[in-house]
Amino acid sequence: MKLLVPLFVLAACTAQAQLLKIPPSFDQLAAKADEVADVSLGPDMLGMAAAFLSDKNPDEKAAKQAVGGVKGIFVRTYKFAHEGMYSEADVELLRAQLRAPGWNCIVNVRSQKTGENTQVCFFAQKGQPGGMAIVTAKPKELAVVTIAGPIDAQHLGALEGQFGIPRIERDSKPKKQDKQDHPDE
Amino acid sequence: MNRPDRPERLEDDLRNALRRQQPPLGFEARLMARLAAEPQPPSVWARVWETASAWFQAPLFARAALAGALCLLVVCGVNYEHRQVQRVRGEAAKQQLLLALRVTGSSLREVQESLRQVSADYSNAQ
C-alpha cells in the first residue's frame, strides 16, 4: 500500500500538468491514422530531457530556455490518408474544455476554403499564466498541443525562428493586425 | 651411414622395420593397472572448494582487501549501468521534446500563415 501512494501522487501531478483531457475516442483514431505522434512529457521527463539539451546547439539552447518553467508538454498528431476519418464530435470534446473558465482563446482560424479550424488558447489561473493549447483540425490532419506551465512572451521569443516557430517581425509602428486575431468574427 | 647396395636389400630392411609385432605378454594388464593407479585431475567442484578453503585460510587483511575490491567493482558496475539507462532515457526524452517543439512550431507557423492570408484577403476587399 505504501508503494501505491507515490504512484497516486505521480498520477495526480501528471493529470494536473495535462491541462486538456484527451478524449478516449482519440485512442481509436490512432488505428485509423497513417502517421501518429504521441508525446507526453511530464515534469520529471521534461527535466530529464532539458538536462540532455546542449548549450552549443542553438536549437537545443533555445528549447532549454523555453522549457525552463514548463511543467509538461503533451502532443498528439494524427495524419490520415483520407478525409472524414475523424468526427467533429471528437474535436468538439476538446473545444468544450477550451471554453471552460480560465481559458482564453486568442486566435480562432476557420477557413471554408481549406477546411482548417485552429484555436490557440492560453490558460491562466488567478492572473498567473498556466499554459497554452493549440488545436488544429484539418480534413486529413488533427493536432493537439498542450503546454502546461507559465508560457510568456519571453519563452516563446526564445523559440522564435527555431523548430519552425515563426519569427515575429517587431515594428515600432502598430500594424493593422487587431482584426486578425478573430477572423471569423 | 649404411646405404643399401641393392634395391632388394632396401625392401627387405623396410619390411623388417615395419613388420607387425605382438606386444609383450601382459602389456595390456600392466597398462590398465598403471592408469588406474595414477591420480585423477580434480573436478570443477573440487577446485571451487579448494579455492574457497584457501580464501578462509588467507590472512584477514588479504580477505578484506579482496572483499573491498569486489564491492568496489560491483558498485562501479551498478553505477555505470544506472548511468547508461539514464542516458538512454534522457536522450529519448530529449528527442520527444524536440519533436513536441517542432509540432508546436509547425502549428504556430500555420496559424500565422492563415492569419496572413486572412489579412491579405481583408486588405484586398477594402
Side-chain angles (χ1 to χ4, degrees), chain A residues 39 41 45-46 48-49 52-53 60 63 73 75 77 107 109 116 118 134 138 145 163-166 179-180 183, chain B residues 86-87 90-91 93-94 96-105 108-112 114-115 118-119 122:
Chain A
V39 177
L41 291 171
M45 288 300 281
L46 207 54
M48 185 182 276
F52 278 81
L53 290 170
E60 294 185 13
I73 299 182
V75 171
T77 63
V107 178
V109 178
E116 182 184 340
T118 301
I134 306 168
K138 293 180 185 176
V145 176
F163 304 106
I165 291 176
K179 291 186 180 178
Q180 289 180 9
Chain B
Q86 288 291 99
R87 195 179 62 79
E91 282 293 332
K94 180 181 124 180
Q96 283 202 318
L97 174 62
L98 296 180
L99 172 67
L101 289 174
R102 278 190 195 100
V103 172
T104 308
L108 287 174
R109 194 177 61 243
E110 284 172 12
V111 168
Q112 192 189 37
S114 300
L115 290 175
V118 169
S119 175
Y122 184 76

Side-chain angles (χ1 to χ4, degrees), chain A residues 38-78:
Chain A
D38 186 348
V39 177
S40 295
L41 291 171
D44 50 343
M45 288 300 281
L46 207 54
M48 185 182 276
F52 278 81
L53 290 170
S54 165
D55 286 331
K56 291 173 186 170
N57 186 320
D59 274 14
E60 294 185 13
K61 190 178 178 183
K64 199 173 191 173
Q65 288 170 346
V67 300
V70 171
K71 292 175 184 167
I73 299 182
F74 305 92
V75 171
R76 290 267 187 116
T77 63
Y78 304 94

